[in-house]
Amino acid sequence: MSDDDQASLAKSLIADGRKQRNSGDLNAAAHSYGEAAEIYRNLPNPLKFAHTIRHVGDILRELGSIEEARSCYEKALRIYREHTEASVLDHANAVRGFALLREDAGELDEARSLWQDAKSLYEETKIEPGILESEAHVRRLSRV
């Protein structure tokens, strides 16, 4: 199968995963996104892999699979840091997800630091809901 065919399959899997997630079937969504991530892992666009594996992390976090989600976020963030052409918004969303995970895991100092990073990234993109959410988490975690 050509790279283009593989990329088309991955896009289709992501579309399926989005529908499954929206309908509340998180296990199926994790599977679909996970298959798409594996395809992207082997294609020459690491940013597609990072974006997809971050979504896998989000879904796994929602399912309560903290350590599996942690690995996904770490992979995505490593790629975003290595590629200056990465979307600032994609980077911000990955930091946000990792901050939520660190909160869920009770790692509050680390979560606060990540929320501060997310706030800076959201400010760079002028995404007001992200800025406000980040500020609220930083305030709350500063009182803990």
Side-chain angles (χ1 to χ4, degrees):
M1 196 179 279
S2 73
D3 283 359
D4 287 343
D5 292 338
Q6 289 288 315
S8 291
L9 176 58
K11 286 178 186 176
S12 177
L13 286 163
I14 288 170
D16 290 346
R18 189 175 299 118
K19 289 177 192 168
Q20 293 158 337
R21 190 175 184 188
N22 289 340
S23 72
D25 191 351
L26 296 180
N27 288 309
H31 181 75
S32 294
Y33 272 99
E35 283 188 38
E38 285 307 310
I39 291 169
Y40 282 133
R41 179 191 308 269
N42 297 309
L43 292 177
N45 186 339
L47 294 176
K48 290 272 191 195
F49 171 69
H51 184 77
T52 307
I53 200 70
R54 189 266 297 173
H55 280 285
V56 175
D58 290 343
I59 295 165
L60 291 172
R61 178 181 43 78
E62 291 174 35
L63 286 167
S65 299
I66 300 296
E67 291 310 312
E68 289 178 57
R70 181 186 308 269
S71 174
C72 294
Y73 289 122
E74 289 170 345
K75 289 174 190 169
L77 289 169
R78 185 170 36 254
I79 292 167
Y80 288 138
R81 287 184 196 113
E82 291 171 359
H83 291 83
T84 56
E85 71 277 15
S87 157
V88 175
L89 180 57
D90 285 343
H91 190 175
N93 288 336
V95 173
R96 175 193 179 274
F98 200 31
L100 288 168
L101 177 135
R102 300 299 285 263
E103 275 191 68
D104 291 348
E107 301 164 358
L108 304 184
D109 290 337
E110 296 86 351
R112 183 175 46 252
S113 176
L114 286 165
W115 279 114
Q116 290 167 336
D117 292 346
K119 179 180 179 276
S120 295
L121 291 165
Y122 284 125
E123 286 173 338
E124 194 173 327
T125 60
K126 299 180 180 14
I127 303 294
E128 193 67 24
I131 296 167
L132 295 174
E133 179 187 28
S134 299
E135 288 174 343
H137 281 269
V138 169
R139 273 194 309 275
R140 187 178 62 72
L141 291 170
S142 294
R143 290 183 293 220
V144 175

